[in-house]
Amino acid sequence: MDKMLLLLFLGLAAEICSGLDNGLARTPPMGWLSWERFRCETDCTTFPDSCISEKLYMAMADKMVELNLKAYGYEYVNIDDCWPAKERDPETGKLVADPDRFPSGISALADYMHARGLKLGIYEDFGVQTCAKYPGSEFYMEIDANTFAEWKVDMVKFDGCNSDPNDSPYGYPTMQFYMNKTGHPMLYSCEWPLYESKKPDYALIRKTCNLWRNGHDIGDTWKSVSSVIDFYGDNDQNFSAYTGPGGWADPDELVVGDFGLSYYQQKAHFGMWAMFSAPLLVSVDLRTISQEALAILQNRNVIAIDQDPLGVSAKRLDGMNLPNSISVWTKPLADGSTAVAFYQKGNSGRPTLVSTTLANIGLASGNGYNVTEVFDGKGMGTFKPSSPFKVLVDPNGILLLKAVPM
Ligand SMILES: *[C@@H]1O[C@H](CO)[C@@H](O)[C@H](O)[C@H]1NC(C)=O
Ligand SMILES: *[C@@H]1O[C@H](CO)[C@@H](O)[C@H](O)[C@H]1NC(C)=O
Ligand SMILES: *[C@@H]1O[C@H](CO)[C@@H](O)[C@H](O)[C@H]1NC(C)=O
């Protein structure tokens, strides 16, 4: 993109994207989230090391420090469902953490994170109960917002189970109002579009939330991950137009390092989340993660694409007629260059050759481009827009490139 266009684009982005004004999530948040990997295991007798308990979150924080993940940008350690006791405090109406699994309490857990330069996220639900049937926030939003602020929680994920879907446009902003009123900044992650009964009003969602989950929960399978990528390519109702500093569409947590994906699938998963400017919240056991998966999560070049300050979500270029379910996606970056992903959803058994030109993928700057492969940082050379451009794309894989105009 040339300079004039870039300026115009930045201006437009500022217009469209007037979002939630809490100063948070200027780039997509990064960290760790318990749900996909640890779910709602509350039996700490049988599963002392993996039940939802303060021990688990402390162990993950320790590993984040040991693996130096903060230096890569990972800072949130996020609790998901199943942390509270089944009943609120009968006198104050406040939520209480399960006393057996969180004997020190959430406030102490937040201190534990802060002492390590990390942040604590928590989970609630705007219905009468959470998805796993713990007490919900309906009728208690002000109390809950105050409680989270008092505990110095840094992020709140607000689910929508057991609520009236017609209430989403009122419930989510109400919680935001009370969270703002506490004066304590808390990043607000909403599952609003997922539970909305009507066409989601993404402009209002962006004014209310820092993150919005718009698809179903991710699973640890290629089928699940690739269907999320399809969903972002289809971009139903243009949701990606609302992504930008302060507010991000959330394709759900990362399952890099878990059980279901091959190495190449994990690379494609991580690379595409970076293309979407998605939050990078990984749900993995950091105590046993493989070196290979860790290297993916610690790839600074890919993280830089995710954290690019322009904050655009990649668009799939449709109508390209490429072989073997390959699609091409482009994402403009703040420095005027473009990230390009060649993504092969299917498995054709071997790397597939794609012969095209940069002009075909919308890169038309007359002086040409200097292209590098993002994962390993290897230079591919310089190309005029019309010169032949040939790449190999792995099955269930990604070739992620950065094209710098010369
Ligand atoms: C509350 O909202 C105001 C106005 O949008 C904003 O300036 C302020 O930073 C917000 N405070 C918190 C804690 O989110
Ligand atoms: C999507 O949103 C952008 C920004 O608001 C707008 O320019 C574009 O026309 C929209 N596209 C569709 C298909 O609605
Ligand atoms: C292309 O970029 C690489 C770094 O990726 C750099 O080493 C090289 O000098 C650049 N080439 C040109 C012609 O700008």
Side-chain angles (χ1 to χ4, degrees), residues 263-344:
Y263 173 66
Y264 295 95
Q265 292 168 344
Q266 291 175 51
K267 274 180 73 177
H269 175 26
F270 195 62
M272 290 309 292
W273 261 232
M275 287 295 280
F276 300 146
S277 297
L280 301 178
L281 298 168
V282 62
S283 196
V284 67
D285 192 339
L286 293 170
R287 296 166 296 198
T288 53
I289 189 171
S290 70
Q291 282 306 316
E292 199 172 67
L294 190 61
I296 293 174
L297 296 176
Q298 293 181 329
N299 188 306
R300 291 188 192 272
N301 296 343
V302 181
I303 292 172
I305 303 262
D306 181 74
Q307 297 287 302
D308 185 79
L310 202 52
V312 176
S313 184
K315 281 199 164 46
R316 188 179 64 203
L317 308 181
D318 290 335
M320 295 272 299
N321 257 325
L322 298 173
N324 294 344
S325 73
I326 291 173
S327 53
V328 184
W329 307 63
T330 57
K331 170 179 178 173
L333 303 174
D335 66 3
S337 60
T338 303
V340 181
F342 287 84
Y343 160 70
Q344 182 170 172

Side-chain angles (χ1 to χ4, degrees), residues 153-202:
V153 161
D154 303 291
M155 174 164 172
V156 175
K157 173 177 170 182
F158 216 43
D159 213 334
C161 284
N162 305 306
S163 68
D164 180 341
N166 293 316
D167 289 347
S168 295
Y170 314 103
Y172 284 97
T174 302
M175 185 60 172
Q176 192 274 318
F177 172 81
Y178 288 127
M179 281 168 52
N180 179 276
K181 214 169 139 234
T182 68
H184 174 64
M186 290 181 270
L187 200 156
Y188 189 27
S189 166
C190 304
E191 305 227 2
W192 174 354
L194 185 55
Y195 290 93
E196 170 73 69
S197 57
K198 297 185 271 302
K199 186 175 174 295
D201 177 350
Y202 281 104

Side-chain angles (χ1 to χ4, degrees), residues 16 235 237-242 315:
I16 302 162
N235 194 18
Q237 294 160 344
N238 207 15
F239 62 80
S240 75
Y242 297 90
K315 281 199 164 46

Side-chain angles (χ1 to χ4, degrees), residues 221-260:
T221 64
W222 182 244
K223 184 164 182 262
S224 170
V225 170
S226 62
S227 76
V228 176
I229 296 170
D230 288 344
F231 181 72
Y232 271 63
D234 296 344
N235 194 18
D236 188 28
Q237 294 160 344
N238 207 15
F239 62 80
S240 75
Y242 297 90
T243 272
W248 312 96
D250 178 4
D252 205 4
E253 63 224 276
L254 292 160
V255 294
V256 171
D258 291 323
F259 304 101

